[in-house]
Amino acid sequence: MEDNLPTFNLSDVSKHKNKDSSWILIHGVVYDVTKYLNEHPGGSEILLEHAGKNATQDFESIGHSEEARSKMKEFAIGKICDADAQNSDKHERKKCHCEIM
Ligand code: HEM
């Protein structure tokens, strides 16, 4: 399903960093967590701290459950395409076609 999602770059994501619009990048997928802020078991503050950024490392350090990983699919809105994306390995970059949104 993630294959049909639009492509954003890091600068698109970085514009959505407050409670009115919070996008988070995890493993190359962009999540719009705006509606999840008040439901997140870890609290809204930590999501807002990571809004507009690549949160992959911190997301993994917390050790989120399978349930959390399944829940996050609901919020996926796109994929990242940016040479700066820390988590794009060479293979991903190669098959990634950047589009201006
Ligand atoms: C769409 C993205 C996310 C979803 C769906 C999500 C979901 C959840 C869920 C369901 C839990 C309860 C524990 C578990 O099931 O693992 C949790 C806990 C937590 N999350 Fe997230 N999370 C997301 C992103 C993040 C991010 C980016 C951070 C930043 C580091 C974060 C930090 C935490 C923390 C600190 C806890 C509390 C852990 C504890 O009390 O032991 N989460 N999250």
Side-chain angles (χ1 to χ4, degrees):
M1 72 138 205
E2 285 169 5
D3 285 346
N4 300 322
L5 294 172
T7 307
F8 300 105
N9 59 38
L10 230 40
S11 111
D12 297 322
V13 177
S14 70
K15 289 175 195 140
H16 301 264
K17 56 179 182 192
N18 57 51
K19 64 176 173 43
D20 297 320
S21 186
S22 325
W23 291 9
I24 288 180
L25 174 61
I26 301 170
H27 288 301
V29 178
V30 181
Y31 298 92
D32 182 346
V33 295
T34 315
K35 293 196 172 118
Y36 190 58
L37 289 176
N38 294 324
E39 285 175 44
H40 180 229
S44 62
E45 218 159 280
I46 195 149
L47 288 187
L48 283 169
E49 272 169 30
H50 290 81
K53 299 182 198 154
N54 185 350
T56 307
Q57 278 182 352
D58 290 342
F59 178 84
E60 290 302 346
S61 311
I62 299 301
H64 280 87
S65 65
E66 279 310 311
E67 194 192 328
R69 284 160 206 276
S70 162
K71 179 84 184 159
M72 66 197 269
K73 289 183 193 152
E74 290 175 31
F75 307 111
I77 55 161
K79 291 196 291 186
I80 201 75
C81 182
D82 195 305
D84 295 338
Q86 288 168 18
N87 297 287
S88 298
D89 59 25
K90 279 184 190 139
H91 176 65
E92 275 173 336
R93 267 186 219 160
K94 224 186 275 171
K95 64 177 184 182
C96 181
H97 302 285
C98 282
E99 288 161 21
I100 306 294
M101 297 300 296

